[in-house]
Amino acid sequence: MKKSTKILLGFLFGIIALFWFYPFIIVIINALKGKRGIFQNPLWFTRDFTFSNFKTAYQALDFTSSFFNSLVITVASVIVITLVSAVAAYALSRVKGPFSSILYYLCAGTMLIPFQSIMIPLLSLFGKVNFLNRTSLVIMNTGLSVSLSIILFYGAFQGVSKTLDEAAALDGAYPFKTFVYIIFPAVSPMTGTVVILNAMKIWNDYLLPSLVVNKDGMYTIPLKMYSFFGETNSQWQLALAGLVLSMVPIIILFLLLQKQVMTSVTEGAIK
């Protein structure tokens, strides 16, 4: 490829990246304004530039408590989803037969069912046994997210040669030991992808936590964000500052796992 072509492509990709990233820039810019400045010029800085929105939003969100609640729910849900889906996908990829095929397509089919259609029966069921808390929310998150994770892991395990299982069996390793020490580490790029996808979904979720843990001491960050919007007054500058604060943990997680995610994407493109 000629040098001039590389420069042109780099310029075009840079423009595309700028258009993609610009909404995030707007959020940060407006988080640094007063309420009037947001409506005067929402696309750029104004004279009422201030950092006080972040301090006020931090206090209004009770950020330490809501962050802890979001972190506990997200981490616990992601760990359970990853472990359950990885074990299930490994079993489906190694045990061939009509029953395993039915289970696989059943997992794919459940992805077509919208949460809203099962929302009321699900909450009614958990409510009858007085089990609406953070633990039940983790269970619900697992049930709602495990299907996609199984499909992703299934594709990754299909790419791992079965000769590794056979070699481990000849060395006397049990299937569980083979999975933990040999097969599961081999699909670490897909594990990173599953973690990122589920963490983003659960961290930003408003609907399910609002139905399950919408009570004092259990609010997540998305639930507390709703306090900035009233019937007669909406504090957009504080909501945007709170949004920036809530994005930081997910951005850090992505930076930590970006190598695994990019590897997974590259391997998928090659296959």
Short mmCIF file of all heavy atoms in Angstrom, two decimals, residues 56-116:
data_model
loop_
_atom_site.label_atom_id
_atom_site.label_comp_id
_atom_site.label_asym_id
_atom_site.label_seq_id
_atom_site.Cartn_x
_atom_site.Cartn_y
_atom_site.Cartn_z
N THR A 56 -21.06 18.45 43.54
CA THR A 56 -22.48 18.45 43.90
C THR A 56 -23.14 17.13 43.50
O THR A 56 -23.93 16.56 44.27
CB THR A 56 -23.21 19.62 43.22
OG1 THR A 56 -22.54 20.85 43.54
CG2 THR A 56 -24.65 19.70 43.66
N ALA A 57 -22.82 16.65 42.30
CA ALA A 57 -23.40 15.38 41.83
C ALA A 57 -22.93 14.22 42.70
O ALA A 57 -23.71 13.32 43.02
CB ALA A 57 -23.01 15.14 40.38
N TYR A 58 -21.67 14.25 43.10
CA TYR A 58 -21.12 13.19 43.96
C TYR A 58 -21.90 13.11 45.27
O TYR A 58 -22.24 12.01 45.74
CB TYR A 58 -19.64 13.49 44.23
CG TYR A 58 -18.91 12.39 44.97
CD1 TYR A 58 -18.20 11.41 44.27
CD2 TYR A 58 -18.93 12.33 46.36
CE1 TYR A 58 -17.53 10.40 44.93
CE2 TYR A 58 -18.27 11.31 47.03
CZ TYR A 58 -17.57 10.36 46.32
OH TYR A 58 -16.92 9.36 46.99
N GLN A 59 -22.18 14.27 45.84
CA GLN A 59 -22.91 14.30 47.11
C GLN A 59 -24.38 13.92 46.92
O GLN A 59 -24.94 13.18 47.71
CB GLN A 59 -22.80 15.69 47.73
CG GLN A 59 -21.38 16.07 48.14
CD GLN A 59 -21.25 17.52 48.56
OE1 GLN A 59 -22.14 18.34 48.30
NE2 GLN A 59 -20.15 17.87 49.21
N ALA A 60 -24.99 14.44 45.85
CA ALA A 60 -26.41 14.17 45.61
C ALA A 60 -26.66 12.69 45.29
O ALA A 60 -27.71 12.14 45.64
CB ALA A 60 -26.93 15.04 44.46
N LEU A 61 -25.70 12.06 44.64
CA LEU A 61 -25.85 10.65 44.29
C LEU A 61 -25.55 9.72 45.47
O LEU A 61 -25.79 8.51 45.35
CB LEU A 61 -24.90 10.29 43.14
CG LEU A 61 -25.23 10.83 41.75
CD1 LEU A 61 -24.09 10.54 40.78
CD2 LEU A 61 -26.53 10.25 41.23
N ASP A 62 -25.04 10.33 46.58
CA ASP A 62 -24.53 9.49 47.67
C ASP A 62 -23.61 8.45 47.04
O ASP A 62 -23.80 7.23 47.19
CB ASP A 62 -25.68 8.83 48.42
CG ASP A 62 -25.23 8.15 49.70
OD1 ASP A 62 -24.08 8.39 50.11
OD2 ASP A 62 -26.02 7.37 50.27
N PHE A 63 -22.63 8.96 46.29
CA PHE A 63 -21.89 8.16 45.32
C PHE A 63 -21.20 6.96 45.95
O PHE A 63 -21.15 5.88 45.35
CB PHE A 63 -20.86 9.04 44.60
CG PHE A 63 -20.27 8.40 43.37
CD1 PHE A 63 -20.97 8.40 42.18
CD2 PHE A 63 -19.03 7.78 43.42
CE1 PHE A 63 -20.44 7.80 41.05
CE2 PHE A 63 -18.49 7.18 42.30
CZ PHE A 63 -19.20 7.19 41.11
N THR A 64 -20.67 7.12 47.15
CA THR A 64 -19.96 6.01 47.78
C THR A 64 -20.89 4.81 47.98
O THR A 64 -20.54 3.67 47.65
CB THR A 64 -19.38 6.44 49.13
OG1 THR A 64 -18.50 7.56 48.93
CG2 THR A 64 -18.61 5.30 49.78
N SER A 65 -22.09 5.07 48.49
CA SER A 65 -23.05 4.00 48.76
C SER A 65 -23.60 3.41 47.46
O SER A 65 -23.64 2.18 47.29
CB SER A 65 -24.20 4.51 49.62
OG SER A 65 -25.19 3.52 49.80
N SER A 66 -24.03 4.28 46.54
CA SER A 66 -24.62 3.79 45.28
C SER A 66 -23.57 3.10 44.42
O SER A 66 -23.87 2.10 43.74
CB SER A 66 -25.27 4.94 44.52
OG SER A 66 -24.34 5.98 44.27
N PHE A 67 -22.33 3.59 44.47
CA PHE A 67 -21.25 2.94 43.73
C PHE A 67 -21.00 1.54 44.28
O PHE A 67 -20.82 0.57 43.52
CB PHE A 67 -19.97 3.77 43.81
CG PHE A 67 -18.76 3.12 43.21
CD1 PHE A 67 -18.55 3.15 41.83
CD2 PHE A 67 -17.84 2.44 44.00
CE1 PHE A 67 -17.44 2.54 41.28
CE2 PHE A 67 -16.74 1.83 43.45
CZ PHE A 67 -16.54 1.87 42.09
N PHE A 68 -21.00 1.42 45.60
CA PHE A 68 -20.78 0.10 46.23
C PHE A 68 -21.89 -0.87 45.83
O PHE A 68 -21.61 -2.03 45.51
CB PHE A 68 -20.73 0.26 47.75
CG PHE A 68 -20.60 -1.05 48.48
CD1 PHE A 68 -19.39 -1.71 48.53
CD2 PHE A 68 -21.70 -1.61 49.11
CE1 PHE A 68 -19.27 -2.93 49.20
CE2 PHE A 68 -21.60 -2.81 49.78
CZ PHE A 68 -20.38 -3.48 49.82
N ASN A 69 -23.13 -0.40 45.86
CA ASN A 69 -24.25 -1.27 45.48
C ASN A 69 -24.14 -1.71 44.03
O ASN A 69 -24.33 -2.90 43.71
CB ASN A 69 -25.58 -0.54 45.70
CG ASN A 69 -25.91 -0.36 47.17
OD1 ASN A 69 -25.54 -1.18 47.99
ND2 ASN A 69 -26.59 0.73 47.49
N SER A 70 -23.84 -0.77 43.14
CA SER A 70 -23.68 -1.11 41.72
C SER A 70 -22.52 -2.07 41.52
O SER A 70 -22.61 -3.02 40.73
CB SER A 70 -23.44 0.16 40.89
OG SER A 70 -24.60 0.96 40.82
N LEU A 71 -21.42 -1.83 42.26
CA LEU A 71 -20.24 -2.67 42.11
C LEU A 71 -20.51 -4.10 42.58
O LEU A 71 -20.15 -5.07 41.89
CB LEU A 71 -19.09 -2.07 42.91
CG LEU A 71 -17.73 -2.78 42.78
CD1 LEU A 71 -17.21 -2.65 41.36
CD2 LEU A 71 -16.72 -2.19 43.76
N VAL A 72 -21.16 -4.24 43.72
CA VAL A 72 -21.45 -5.57 44.25
C VAL A 72 -22.36 -6.34 43.30
O VAL A 72 -22.10 -7.51 42.98
CB VAL A 72 -22.11 -5.46 45.65
CG1 VAL A 72 -22.69 -6.81 46.08
CG2 VAL A 72 -21.10 -4.97 46.68
N ILE A 73 -23.42 -5.70 42.84
CA ILE A 73 -24.38 -6.36 41.95
C ILE A 73 -23.71 -6.73 40.63
O ILE A 73 -23.88 -7.85 40.12
CB ILE A 73 -25.59 -5.44 41.71
CG1 ILE A 73 -26.41 -5.30 43.00
CG2 ILE A 73 -26.48 -6.00 40.59
CD1 ILE A 73 -27.47 -4.24 42.95
N THR A 74 -22.94 -5.80 40.07
CA THR A 74 -22.30 -6.05 38.77
C THR A 74 -21.25 -7.14 38.86
O THR A 74 -21.24 -8.07 38.04
CB THR A 74 -21.66 -4.75 38.24
OG1 THR A 74 -22.66 -3.73 38.12
CG2 THR A 74 -21.03 -4.99 36.88
N VAL A 75 -20.36 -7.04 39.85
CA VAL A 75 -19.28 -8.03 39.98
C VAL A 75 -19.85 -9.42 40.25
O VAL A 75 -19.45 -10.40 39.61
CB VAL A 75 -18.31 -7.61 41.10
CG1 VAL A 75 -17.32 -8.75 41.39
CG2 VAL A 75 -17.56 -6.35 40.71
N ALA A 76 -20.79 -9.51 41.19
CA ALA A 76 -21.37 -10.82 41.51
C ALA A 76 -22.09 -11.41 40.30
O ALA A 76 -21.95 -12.61 40.00
CB ALA A 76 -22.34 -10.68 42.69
N SER A 77 -22.87 -10.58 39.60
CA SER A 77 -23.61 -11.06 38.43
C SER A 77 -22.67 -11.53 37.33
O SER A 77 -22.87 -12.60 36.74
CB SER A 77 -24.52 -9.96 37.89
OG SER A 77 -25.48 -9.56 38.85
N VAL A 78 -21.63 -10.74 37.06
CA VAL A 78 -20.69 -11.08 35.98
C VAL A 78 -19.94 -12.37 36.30
O VAL A 78 -19.75 -13.22 35.43
CB VAL A 78 -19.71 -9.93 35.74
CG1 VAL A 78 -18.57 -10.37 34.82
CG2 VAL A 78 -20.43 -8.74 35.12
N ILE A 79 -19.54 -12.54 37.55
CA ILE A 79 -18.82 -13.77 37.94
C ILE A 79 -19.72 -15.00 37.76
O ILE A 79 -19.31 -16.00 37.17
CB ILE A 79 -18.34 -13.67 39.40
CG1 ILE A 79 -17.20 -12.65 39.52
CG2 ILE A 79 -17.86 -15.05 39.90
CD1 ILE A 79 -16.75 -12.41 40.94
N VAL A 80 -20.96 -14.91 38.24
CA VAL A 80 -21.88 -16.05 38.13
C VAL A 80 -22.21 -16.33 36.66
O VAL A 80 -22.20 -17.49 36.22
CB VAL A 80 -23.17 -15.78 38.93
CG1 VAL A 80 -24.18 -16.91 38.71
CG2 VAL A 80 -22.86 -15.64 40.42
N ILE A 81 -22.50 -15.27 35.90
CA ILE A 81 -22.82 -15.45 34.48
C ILE A 81 -21.66 -16.11 33.74
O ILE A 81 -21.85 -17.04 32.95
CB ILE A 81 -23.17 -14.09 33.84
CG1 ILE A 81 -24.49 -13.56 34.37
CG2 ILE A 81 -23.23 -14.22 32.31
CD1 ILE A 81 -24.77 -12.12 34.00
N THR A 82 -20.45 -15.63 33.98
CA THR A 82 -19.28 -16.15 33.28
C THR A 82 -19.03 -17.61 33.61
O THR A 82 -18.81 -18.44 32.72
CB THR A 82 -18.03 -15.32 33.64
OG1 THR A 82 -18.26 -13.94 33.33
CG2 THR A 82 -16.82 -15.81 32.88
N LEU A 83 -19.10 -17.95 34.90
CA LEU A 83 -18.84 -19.33 35.30
C LEU A 83 -19.92 -20.28 34.79
O LEU A 83 -19.62 -21.35 34.23
CB LEU A 83 -18.74 -19.42 36.83
CG LEU A 83 -17.54 -18.71 37.46
CD1 LEU A 83 -17.59 -18.83 38.98
CD2 LEU A 83 -16.23 -19.26 36.92
N VAL A 84 -21.18 -19.91 34.99
CA VAL A 84 -22.29 -20.78 34.57
C VAL A 84 -22.29 -20.98 33.06
O VAL A 84 -22.41 -22.11 32.56
CB VAL A 84 -23.64 -20.19 35.04
CG1 VAL A 84 -24.80 -20.95 34.40
CG2 VAL A 84 -23.75 -20.25 36.55
N SER A 85 -22.14 -19.89 32.32
CA SER A 85 -22.20 -19.98 30.86
C SER A 85 -20.99 -20.72 30.29
O SER A 85 -21.11 -21.47 29.32
CB SER A 85 -22.30 -18.58 30.24
OG SER A 85 -21.21 -17.77 30.62
N ALA A 86 -19.81 -20.53 30.90
CA ALA A 86 -18.62 -21.22 30.41
C ALA A 86 -18.73 -22.73 30.61
O ALA A 86 -18.43 -23.52 29.71
CB ALA A 86 -17.38 -20.69 31.13
N VAL A 87 -19.18 -23.15 31.79
CA VAL A 87 -19.34 -24.58 32.06
C VAL A 87 -20.41 -25.19 31.15
O VAL A 87 -20.22 -26.27 30.58
CB VAL A 87 -19.71 -24.81 33.55
CG1 VAL A 87 -20.08 -26.27 33.79
CG2 VAL A 87 -18.56 -24.40 34.45
N ALA A 88 -21.53 -24.49 31.00
CA ALA A 88 -22.62 -25.00 30.15
C ALA A 88 -22.17 -25.08 28.69
O ALA A 88 -22.45 -26.08 28.00
CB ALA A 88 -23.84 -24.09 30.27
N ALA A 89 -21.49 -24.05 28.21
CA ALA A 89 -21.05 -24.05 26.82
C ALA A 89 -20.01 -25.14 26.57
O ALA A 89 -20.00 -25.77 25.50
CB ALA A 89 -20.47 -22.67 26.47
N TYR A 90 -19.14 -25.38 27.54
CA TYR A 90 -18.13 -26.44 27.39
C TYR A 90 -18.80 -27.81 27.28
O TYR A 90 -18.43 -28.63 26.43
CB TYR A 90 -17.17 -26.40 28.57
CG TYR A 90 -16.15 -27.50 28.56
CD1 TYR A 90 -15.18 -27.57 27.56
CD2 TYR A 90 -16.15 -28.49 29.55
CE1 TYR A 90 -14.23 -28.58 27.55
CE2 TYR A 90 -15.21 -29.50 29.55
CZ TYR A 90 -14.26 -29.54 28.55
OH TYR A 90 -13.32 -30.56 28.53
N ALA A 91 -19.79 -28.03 28.12
CA ALA A 91 -20.51 -29.30 28.07
C ALA A 91 -21.23 -29.47 26.73
O ALA A 91 -21.20 -30.55 26.12
CB ALA A 91 -21.51 -29.38 29.22
N LEU A 92 -21.88 -28.41 26.26
CA LEU A 92 -22.61 -28.49 24.99
C LEU A 92 -21.66 -28.69 23.81
O LEU A 92 -22.03 -29.36 22.83
CB LEU A 92 -23.42 -27.21 24.78
CG LEU A 92 -24.61 -26.99 25.72
CD1 LEU A 92 -25.25 -25.62 25.47
CD2 LEU A 92 -25.65 -28.09 25.54
N SER A 93 -20.46 -28.13 23.88
CA SER A 93 -19.53 -28.25 22.76
C SER A 93 -18.82 -29.60 22.73
O SER A 93 -18.31 -30.01 21.68
CB SER A 93 -18.48 -27.13 22.84
OG SER A 93 -17.65 -27.29 23.99
N ARG A 94 -18.77 -30.29 23.87
CA ARG A 94 -18.05 -31.55 23.93
C ARG A 94 -18.97 -32.78 23.91
O ARG A 94 -18.57 -33.85 23.45
CB ARG A 94 -17.18 -31.60 25.19
CG ARG A 94 -16.01 -30.59 25.15
CD ARG A 94 -15.11 -30.85 23.97
NE ARG A 94 -13.90 -30.06 24.00
CZ ARG A 94 -13.72 -28.92 23.34
NH1 ARG A 94 -14.71 -28.43 22.59
NH2 ARG A 94 -12.56 -28.28 23.40
N VAL A 95 -20.18 -32.63 24.44
CA VAL A 95 -21.12 -33.76 24.44
C VAL A 95 -22.09 -33.58 23.28
O VAL A 95 -23.01 -32.76 23.33
CB VAL A 95 -21.89 -33.82 25.78
CG1 VAL A 95 -22.86 -35.00 25.77
CG2 VAL A 95 -20.94 -33.92 26.95
N LYS A 96 -21.88 -34.32 22.23
CA LYS A 96 -22.71 -34.20 21.04
C LYS A 96 -23.90 -35.16 21.10
O LYS A 96 -23.79 -36.27 21.60
CB LYS A 96 -21.87 -34.49 19.79
CG LYS A 96 -20.74 -33.50 19.55
CD LYS A 96 -21.28 -32.09 19.34
CE LYS A 96 -20.15 -31.12 19.03
NZ LYS A 96 -20.67 -29.74 18.84
N GLY A 97 -25.02 -34.68 20.59
CA GLY A 97 -26.22 -35.50 20.57
C GLY A 97 -27.45 -34.63 20.40
O GLY A 97 -27.37 -33.40 20.47
N PRO A 98 -28.60 -35.24 20.20
CA PRO A 98 -29.85 -34.48 20.00
C PRO A 98 -30.17 -33.59 21.20
O PRO A 98 -30.63 -32.46 21.03
CB PRO A 98 -30.90 -35.57 19.82
CG PRO A 98 -30.15 -36.78 19.40
CD PRO A 98 -28.82 -36.69 20.08
N PHE A 99 -29.93 -34.10 22.41
CA PHE A 99 -30.29 -33.33 23.60
C PHE A 99 -29.45 -32.07 23.71
O PHE A 99 -29.97 -30.99 24.04
CB PHE A 99 -30.10 -34.20 24.85
CG PHE A 99 -30.55 -33.53 26.11
CD1 PHE A 99 -31.90 -33.26 26.33
CD2 PHE A 99 -29.64 -33.16 27.08
CE1 PHE A 99 -32.33 -32.64 27.49
CE2 PHE A 99 -30.05 -32.54 28.25
CZ PHE A 99 -31.39 -32.27 28.46
N SER A 100 -28.14 -32.16 23.43
CA SER A 100 -27.28 -30.99 23.51
C SER A 100 -27.64 -29.97 22.43
O SER A 100 -27.58 -28.76 22.66
CB SER A 100 -25.81 -31.39 23.37
OG SER A 100 -25.57 -32.02 22.12
N SER A 101 -28.04 -30.45 21.27
CA SER A 101 -28.46 -29.54 20.20
C SER A 101 -29.74 -28.81 20.57
O SER A 101 -29.88 -27.59 20.32
CB SER A 101 -28.68 -30.32 18.90
OG SER A 101 -27.49 -30.92 18.47
N ILE A 102 -30.67 -29.53 21.20
CA ILE A 102 -31.92 -28.91 21.64
C ILE A 102 -31.64 -27.82 22.67
O ILE A 102 -32.20 -26.72 22.61
CB ILE A 102 -32.87 -29.98 22.21
CG1 ILE A 102 -33.37 -30.90 21.09
CG2 ILE A 102 -34.07 -29.32 22.90
CD1 ILE A 102 -34.17 -32.08 21.59
N LEU A 103 -30.75 -28.11 23.60
CA LEU A 103 -30.40 -27.13 24.63
C LEU A 103 -29.73 -25.90 24.03
O LEU A 103 -30.01 -24.76 24.44
CB LEU A 103 -29.46 -27.76 25.67
CG LEU A 103 -30.09 -28.76 26.64
CD1 LEU A 103 -29.02 -29.33 27.57
CD2 LEU A 103 -31.18 -28.07 27.47
N TYR A 104 -28.88 -26.13 23.05
CA TYR A 104 -28.20 -25.00 22.41
C TYR A 104 -29.20 -24.09 21.71
O TYR A 104 -29.17 -22.85 21.87
CB TYR A 104 -27.16 -25.51 21.40
CG TYR A 104 -26.50 -24.40 20.62
CD1 TYR A 104 -25.49 -23.63 21.18
CD2 TYR A 104 -26.91 -24.12 19.31
CE1 TYR A 104 -24.89 -22.61 20.47
CE2 TYR A 104 -26.31 -23.10 18.59
CZ TYR A 104 -25.30 -22.35 19.16
OH TYR A 104 -24.71 -21.33 18.46
N TYR A 105 -30.10 -24.67 20.92
CA TYR A 105 -31.09 -23.85 20.21
C TYR A 105 -32.12 -23.25 21.18
O TYR A 105 -32.68 -22.19 20.90
CB TYR A 105 -31.79 -24.70 19.14
CG TYR A 105 -30.90 -24.99 17.96
CD1 TYR A 105 -30.46 -26.29 17.69
CD2 TYR A 105 -30.47 -23.95 17.12
CE1 TYR A 105 -29.63 -26.55 16.61
CE2 TYR A 105 -29.63 -24.21 16.05
CZ TYR A 105 -29.22 -25.51 15.80
OH TYR A 105 -28.39 -25.75 14.74
N LEU A 106 -32.33 -23.91 22.31
CA LEU A 106 -33.20 -23.33 23.33
C LEU A 106 -32.58 -22.06 23.90
O LEU A 106 -33.27 -21.06 24.11
CB LEU A 106 -33.44 -24.35 24.44
CG LEU A 106 -34.39 -23.91 25.56
CD1 LEU A 106 -35.79 -23.67 25.00
CD2 LEU A 106 -34.43 -24.98 26.66
N CYS A 107 -31.27 -22.10 24.13
CA CYS A 107 -30.56 -20.90 24.59
C CYS A 107 -30.66 -19.78 23.56
O CYS A 107 -30.89 -18.61 23.91
CB CYS A 107 -29.09 -21.23 24.86
SG CYS A 107 -28.80 -22.27 26.30
N ALA A 108 -30.49 -20.13 22.29
CA ALA A 108 -30.59 -19.12 21.24
C ALA A 108 -31.99 -18.56 21.15
O ALA A 108 -32.19 -17.36 20.95
CB ALA A 108 -30.16 -19.72 19.90
N GLY A 109 -32.99 -19.41 21.34
CA GLY A 109 -34.37 -18.97 21.24
C GLY A 109 -34.79 -18.04 22.36
O GLY A 109 -35.58 -17.11 22.16
N THR A 110 -34.25 -18.29 23.57
CA THR A 110 -34.64 -17.44 24.70
C THR A 110 -34.15 -16.00 24.53
O THR A 110 -34.69 -15.09 25.17
CB THR A 110 -34.07 -18.00 26.02
OG1 THR A 110 -32.64 -18.16 25.90
CG2 THR A 110 -34.70 -19.34 26.34
N MET A 111 -33.17 -15.78 23.68
CA MET A 111 -32.69 -14.42 23.43
C MET A 111 -33.74 -13.57 22.72
O MET A 111 -33.67 -12.34 22.74
CB MET A 111 -31.41 -14.46 22.59
CG MET A 111 -30.23 -15.07 23.31
SD MET A 111 -28.80 -15.27 22.22
CE MET A 111 -28.59 -13.60 21.63
N LEU A 112 -34.71 -14.23 22.09
CA LEU A 112 -35.76 -13.52 21.36
C LEU A 112 -36.90 -13.07 22.27
O LEU A 112 -37.78 -12.33 21.83
CB LEU A 112 -36.31 -14.41 20.25
CG LEU A 112 -35.29 -14.93 19.22
CD1 LEU A 112 -35.97 -15.87 18.23
CD2 LEU A 112 -34.64 -13.76 18.47
N ILE A 113 -36.90 -13.53 23.51
CA ILE A 113 -37.98 -13.18 24.45
C ILE A 113 -37.64 -11.87 25.15
O ILE A 113 -36.64 -11.80 25.87
CB ILE A 113 -38.17 -14.30 25.49
CG1 ILE A 113 -38.47 -15.63 24.80
CG2 ILE A 113 -39.29 -13.93 26.46
CD1 ILE A 113 -38.54 -16.80 25.76
N PRO A 114 -38.40 -10.81 24.97
CA PRO A 114 -38.12 -9.54 25.64
C PRO A 114 -38.38 -9.63 27.13
O PRO A 114 -39.30 -10.33 27.57
CB PRO A 114 -39.07 -8.55 24.96
CG PRO A 114 -40.19 -9.40 24.45
CD PRO A 114 -39.59 -10.73 24.10
N PHE A 115 -37.57 -8.93 27.91
CA PHE A 115 -37.71 -8.96 29.35
C PHE A 115 -39.08 -8.46 29.80
O PHE A 115 -39.65 -8.97 30.76
CB PHE A 115 -36.61 -8.11 29.99
CG PHE A 115 -36.85 -7.82 31.45
CD1 PHE A 115 -36.80 -8.84 32.38
CD2 PHE A 115 -37.15 -6.53 31.88
CE1 PHE A 115 -37.03 -8.58 33.73
CE2 PHE A 115 -37.39 -6.27 33.22
CZ PHE A 115 -37.32 -7.29 34.15
N GLN A 116 -39.60 -7.47 29.09
CA GLN A 116 -40.89 -6.89 29.49
C GLN A 116 -42.02 -7.91 29.49
O GLN A 116 -42.99 -7.77 30.24
CB GLN A 116 -41.25 -5.72 28.57
CG GLN A 116 -40.37 -4.49 28.72
CD GLN A 116 -39.02 -4.64 28.05
OE1 GLN A 116 -38.75 -5.64 27.38
NE2 GLN A 116 -38.17 -3.65 28.22
#
